[in-house]
Amino acid sequence: MSRIVIQQFFFNRINYLNVLKVINLTQNRYKADKFGHTFALIQEGSEIRELPLIVRNVCSNEICCNECTKTNVIDINNDELVNKLNNLKNETDRKKADEEIVDVIRGFKKCSSVKSLIDLLEIVMLDEITPAVALCALKKIVELENFKLHIASNKLSSILNTKPNIDYTKTPILEKLLEIIMKGDNNSAVVGILELISIDRVRVLPFDIFKNKISEEILCRVTENKLNIDDLCRSIDAFSKLNEVKTADQLWIGIMDKSDQINEKNVIQVFRILHLLKKSRKTIMKLLERCLKRFWHYLSTDDLIEMLYTLRLTKCNSNIILKTTSRWINTNIHTMSENNVTSIVNELNNSNYVDIGIIRALERYIKAKHSTINSPLLMVEIMNYCSKFNIRSENIFEGCANYIIQNGSNITPSQFRDLFWPFGQLNYKPKSALEFWTKVESIMNKEFNNFKTQETLDLLLSCVYLEKHPLNFVQSVFNTSFLHNLFEYGDKNDYTKIKLKMIDQCMTLECDHYRGPMLPKDKFAKSIWCDYRIKRILKEINSTLENTFQGYKISYSTILSRLPLMSIYIIDALVHPNKFEINSRYINFKQHPGLCTAILVHLPEHYCWEKEHLIGIETTRIRHFRKIGLNVMSINYEKILELKYPAELTEYINNRYKNMLTPC
């Protein structure tokens, strides 16, 4: 096997068949078989890929013969065409011939056994039938024999009784039908035979003979540029069903050479075969990216959904296609049904893609139709999308709040959890607060026993993030029965314990009527995860902080005795007087409110998508530090990285110092 290096392949300009002709001639001296295989190293931009190529081996005398007799062949073909046209003297004769073909096909469909069909073929005379008729006959034979297998399997008969009833006298008839199809110009019929082999479960057709001959014929027609996009896609699908993945991969060059045939009607068909390709998948994906730029606005909703599904199935990360999808959604969101929007948002969620165009489209959709939305699945998908990407959109959240108020009684407990959780997660308080919280309390009272244990914790945690203390429900959580059910089913993970501690701590600090804490303090030393990015950035700005807080001592990664041992309660930098240096962990800050300052570094994931608001757990963290008597100074990690000069850093730190939050 050889390799051929092709530099700078410009897919929209080069004629791939020219490459094949060169390769065919160079491989002639090394191969004696009809087809050989090689690889081409193809560079497109900064990417280099090794792709398989078909090599058709011909003898030198065949080349000369082909070149010398080219004119004669054309003349012969022209004479045959003239003779045929003379035989069909007028349009009536042509229609009569077509009707005869239709009658033959109808006769095939009426046959109820292979014997009757073979008898009919003998009457029709095989030499006079067309490739389309031959394909129809083979399909009927396969259909009849496979139907026998289906009936036999339903009756639990022995597999020996399900073998096709085709003897050696009938096999030549099958091979004759195959020969008619291979010699004809009907490319669709040739591909149809390959598809027929892949669904022939009982091997009615001589498998090895048919498969080898048809495979060679298809490869031959690919090298001659005879197959169109539809035939190529069908061939790839059929080869894959026959576990001929390598052969299917070699057909990429035919698709590239027929790229001008790809349009809005067949582009999805090309997308469907992406997951069947291996080495050539990225090359075809690049081609589709260029094609979509021309006719993306002609795509239907179903086409878009299938396109997104294919991207997820093949794990191809194409930002160009996803941006094109965003543009399409932003243009057509007003014409889509609820089911279509649900499917598209679900696929975007699974594809981990978000951009401003999609957010604006969803905002317009919710703002226009929030009062008429009937499907809870649509609202659930949109809110899950917001939850996953921290999208804190006023229009979307207000629409969801109105939906809960109007339809909250008709949704399932799991759906209510998905709708309500993002409010606390992203710290959004609805404008219609009284109606909203009245409805939420009503649903929780009614469905409390129907919520799963994790759903119950999420609902209560969302409430405390929003400073709505679920005093009527926490007693049902912090009891032996609930905790036993929670940990009995394998929920002994740290995240579940963090939820319980957060609920307990929020209620203890913020609710006067709560008799807590309910959970015991951690008495044993344990490791707590700290983000290295915070340590590194504090080390870089250490001198600036010391200049700002002159006369004070700065302690890093401080844990206070009054708060639970959790990473969210670690103070990144605690500014305190020197006399409190040793005992700062045990100080009662309420006796000295505002004396010490907690410096918190907020990473990118601490913010909502628009980078303006902190998420719920971070706002709760700040609120709790203020509750125990600390000033809180927040620093944006990304903003620090953007500052290039010491003067800019000093100005930013001084500005944050002036705007720091005082104790509650």
Side-chain angles (χ1 to χ4, degrees):
M1 183 168 295
S2 63
R3 284 178 172 80
I4 297 172
V5 180
I6 304 173
Q7 295 183 351
Q8 295 295 339
F9 250 37
F10 295 99
F11 291 140
N12 55 340
R13 296 180 182 178
I14 193 167
N15 186 334
Y16 292 89
L17 292 182
N18 291 337
V19 177
L20 283 180
K21 291 176 182 177
V22 174
I23 295 174
N24 290 340
L25 293 175
T26 57
Q27 293 294 316
N28 175 46
R29 67 192 69 177
Y30 303 109
K31 294 285 184 178
D33 299 332
K34 187 171 183 179
F35 286 99
H37 306 285
T38 187
F39 287 93
L41 296 178
I42 297 177
Q43 179 179 354
E44 186 180 20
S46 60
E47 295 185 10
I48 299 177
R49 290 186 289 273
E50 186 180 67
L51 299 182
L53 286 176
I54 310 166
V55 179
R56 185 177 174 186
N57 302 293
V58 294
C59 298
S60 57
N61 58 352
E62 290 180 315
I63 298 174
C64 295
C65 180
N66 289 335
E67 292 296 330
C68 296
T69 61
K70 184 175 180 182
T71 306
N72 295 333
V73 170
I74 294 175
D75 293 339
I76 293 172
N77 291 338
N78 288 338
D79 292 340
E80 291 178 355
L81 183 59
V82 171
N83 292 333
K84 290 181 179 179
L85 291 176
N86 290 333
N87 292 332
L88 297 175
K89 296 180 180 179
N90 50 43
E91 188 68 23
T92 304
D93 293 335
R94 294 190 185 95
K95 290 183 178 179
K96 185 177 179 180
D98 293 339
E99 289 175 359
E100 290 177 356
I101 294 175
V102 172
D103 290 338
V104 173
I105 294 176
R106 286 176 180 171
F108 290 158
K109 292 182 178 179
K110 292 179 180 179
C111 295
S112 58
S113 67
V114 176
K115 184 179 182 304
S116 61
L117 194 143
I118 296 295
D119 294 339
L120 180 59
L121 284 172
E122 292 174 350
I123 296 172
V124 171
M125 297 178 61
L126 293 176
D127 293 334
E128 297 180 0
I129 67 175
T130 63
V133 175
L135 177 62
C136 181
L138 290 173
K139 281 184 178 179
K140 189 62 181 180
I141 293 173
V142 172
E143 178 186 335
L144 291 171
E145 291 295 341
N146 281 269
F147 181 72
K148 286 171 56 180
L149 172 64
H150 176 70
I151 296 298
S153 61
N154 288 341
K155 293 181 179 180
L156 300 178
S157 298
S158 172
I159 190 63
L160 296 176
N161 297 327
T162 64
K163 291 183 178 179
N165 186 22
I166 299 222
D167 55 28
Y168 291 103
T169 62
K170 296 169 186 176
T171 302
I173 296 178
L174 299 180
E175 294 181 357
K176 180 62 176 179
L177 293 173
L178 175 63
E179 184 181 353
I180 291 171
I181 293 173
M182 291 179 60
K183 288 184 177 180
D185 294 330
N186 193 331
N187 297 317
S188 180
V190 175
V191 179
I193 289 294
L194 189 66
E195 294 174 328
L196 199 59
I197 297 172
S198 64
I199 63 174
D200 183 14
R201 296 176 58 194
V202 297
R203 296 291 187 258
V204 181
L205 308 178
F207 180 76
D208 292 332
I209 296 175
F210 272 54
K211 177 187 159 187
N212 294 336
K213 287 186 176 180
I214 285 296
S215 297
E216 285 187 356
E217 183 64 24
I218 288 177
L219 293 177
C220 182
R221 297 195 183 204
V222 169
T223 60
E224 294 173 355
N225 197 24
K226 289 183 177 180
L227 300 185
N228 58 29
I229 286 293
D230 178 69
D231 295 333
L232 288 165
C233 292
R234 289 169 56 202
S235 300
I236 291 173
D237 181 60
F239 276 126
S240 300
K241 290 178 180 177
L242 293 170
N243 294 322
E244 297 287 340
V245 180
K246 292 183 178 179
T247 307
D249 235 356
Q250 292 174 337
L251 303 188
W252 67 273
I253 201 163
I255 294 178
M256 299 301 295
D257 201 60
K258 293 289 186 179
S259 59
D260 57 332
Q261 294 182 2
I262 299 178
N263 52 42
E264 66 276 9
K265 296 180 181 179
N266 58 25
V267 66
I268 297 302
Q269 191 174 3
V270 182
F271 261 102
R272 289 193 190 110
I273 56 97
L274 279 177
H275 74 283
L276 305 175
L277 303 174
K278 300 299 180 184
K279 293 184 178 181
S280 60
R281 180 183 297 169
K282 289 186 178 180
T283 301
I284 301 299
M285 177 64 73
K286 293 293 184 182
L287 170 65
L288 291 172
E289 289 177 351
R290 292 190 292 272
C291 292
L292 281 177
K293 292 179 180 179
R294 302 197 308 266
F295 47 76
W296 63 269
H297 44 284
Y298 294 115
L299 297 177
S300 67
T301 306
D302 292 337
D303 291 341
L304 193 77
I305 294 172
E306 189 164 1
M307 189 171 67
L308 291 172
Y309 172 76
T310 303
L311 286 179
R312 178 165 59 88
L313 184 66
T314 57
K315 297 180 180 179
C316 291
N317 297 321
S318 174
N319 287 329
I320 295 176
I321 293 179
L322 289 172
K323 288 179 180 178
T324 303
T325 299
S326 172
R327 190 175 179 185
W328 188 97
I329 294 171
N330 209 9
T331 304
N332 300 280
I333 189 72
H334 60 285
T335 63
M336 297 163 60
S337 65
E338 292 183 5
N339 290 335
N340 287 336
V341 177
T342 303
S343 299
I344 287 178
V345 175
N346 180 53
E347 291 299 336
L348 290 171
N349 208 346
N350 293 327
S351 300
N352 296 317
Y353 182 76
V354 62
D355 66 18
I356 190 64
I358 295 173
I359 296 174
R360 294 292 176 260
L362 292 176
E363 287 177 343
R364 295 201 316 272
Y365 185 86
I366 293 296
K367 187 175 181 180
K369 300 186 177 183
H370 69 87
S371 59
T372 60
I373 292 177
N374 297 318
S375 173
L377 294 177
L378 171 59
M379 293 304 305
V380 167
E381 284 295 340
I382 292 176
M383 293 307 289
N384 285 340
Y385 190 67
C386 293
S387 176
K388 182 171 185 176
F389 298 105
N390 290 346
I391 302 170
R392 189 181 184 273
S393 168
E394 180 178 341
N395 290 330
I396 294 177
F397 276 75
E398 285 299 324
C400 182
N402 292 331
Y403 183 84
I404 292 175
I405 294 171
Q406 295 174 7
N407 304 287
S409 303
N410 301 323
I411 59 179
T412 64
S414 296
Q415 290 172 345
F416 175 72
R417 180 268 171 201
D418 291 338
L419 294 177
F420 180 66
W421 164 248
F423 285 88
Q425 178 198 2
L426 303 179
N427 191 36
Y428 185 86
K429 299 178 181 178
K431 295 179 180 179
S432 53
L434 180 60
E435 295 178 79
F436 178 78
W437 287 109
T438 301
K439 190 66 176 182
V440 168
E441 185 177 8
S442 172
I443 296 173
M444 291 182 66
N445 278 321
K446 179 182 177 182
E447 303 288 349
F448 189 81
N449 294 326
N450 296 325
F451 290 115
K452 298 176 183 178
T453 53
Q454 288 292 341
E455 291 173 350
T456 302
L457 294 182
D458 288 340
L459 292 173
L460 298 185
L461 195 59
S462 185
C463 288
V464 297
Y465 284 166
L466 296 171
E467 300 180 78
K468 296 294 181 181
H469 309 117
L471 194 60
N472 297 336
F473 304 103
V474 290
Q475 299 300 328
S476 300
V477 172
F478 294 105
N479 63 62
T480 306
S481 176
F482 183 88
L483 295 176
H484 176 74
N485 292 332
L486 178 64
F487 293 114
E488 183 181 10
Y489 298 104
D491 286 331
K492 298 180 180 180
N493 55 66
D494 291 338
Y495 189 52
T496 300
K497 295 177 182 178
I498 289 174
K499 289 180 182 179
L500 288 169
K501 288 181 180 180
M502 280 298 300
I503 295 170
D504 188 33
Q505 190 61 35
C506 288
M507 297 296 293
T508 301
L509 289 177
E510 299 177 350
C511 184
D512 297 334
H513 301 287
Y514 181 72
R515 298 179 180 180
M518 297 289 185
L519 299 176
K521 288 186 176 181
D522 295 315
K523 297 182 180 180
F524 302 98
K526 64 177 183 179
S527 61
I528 300 178
W529 181 81
C530 297
D531 199 301
Y532 180 76
R533 291 174 293 175
I534 295 177
K535 291 185 176 181
R536 181 170 57 84
I537 205 70
L538 286 174
K539 184 177 180 180
E540 292 178 1
I541 65 173
N542 177 49
S543 59
T544 306
L545 291 175
E546 289 179 349
N547 291 333
T548 303
F549 294 94
Q550 293 183 0
Y552 286 82
K553 184 72 175 179
I554 301 178
S555 300
Y556 297 97
S557 300
T558 305
I559 301 174
L560 303 180
S561 60
R562 293 195 57 192
L563 299 175
L565 290 175
M566 295 190 298
S567 59
I568 62 170
Y569 286 129
I570 295 177
I571 301 177
D572 300 328
L574 179 64
V575 181
H576 55 86
N578 289 327
K579 62 179 180 179
F580 290 152
E581 179 179 358
I582 298 177
N583 298 320
S584 60
R585 187 176 186 276
Y586 304 98
I587 298 173
N588 186 351
F589 293 104
K590 282 194 173 182
Q591 295 180 357
H592 311 278
L595 180 63
C596 300
T597 301
I599 300 176
L600 305 181
V601 179
H602 295 298
L603 300 172
E605 57 266 30
H606 294 171
Y607 290 91
C608 297
W609 192 79
E610 74 283 359
K611 303 300 182 184
E612 294 180 6
H613 300 88
L614 290 169
I615 61 176
I617 192 171
E618 290 299 316
T619 55
T620 303
R621 179 190 185 196
I622 292 173
R623 195 166 65 244
H624 287 183
F625 286 144
R626 295 176 65 195
K627 285 282 185 181
I628 63 175
L630 291 172
N631 298 322
V632 177
M633 174 178 162
S634 296
I635 296 176
N636 189 328
Y637 174 82
E638 287 188 323
K639 182 66 177 177
I640 294 292
L641 295 180
E642 293 173 0
L643 302 176
K644 299 180 180 179
Y645 304 104
E648 293 178 344
L649 177 62
T650 302
E651 181 182 359
Y652 175 76
I653 295 297
N654 289 335
N655 182 58
R656 301 311 303 159
Y657 174 75
K658 294 176 183 178
N659 293 281
M660 67 180 178
L661 301 173
T662 57
C664 296

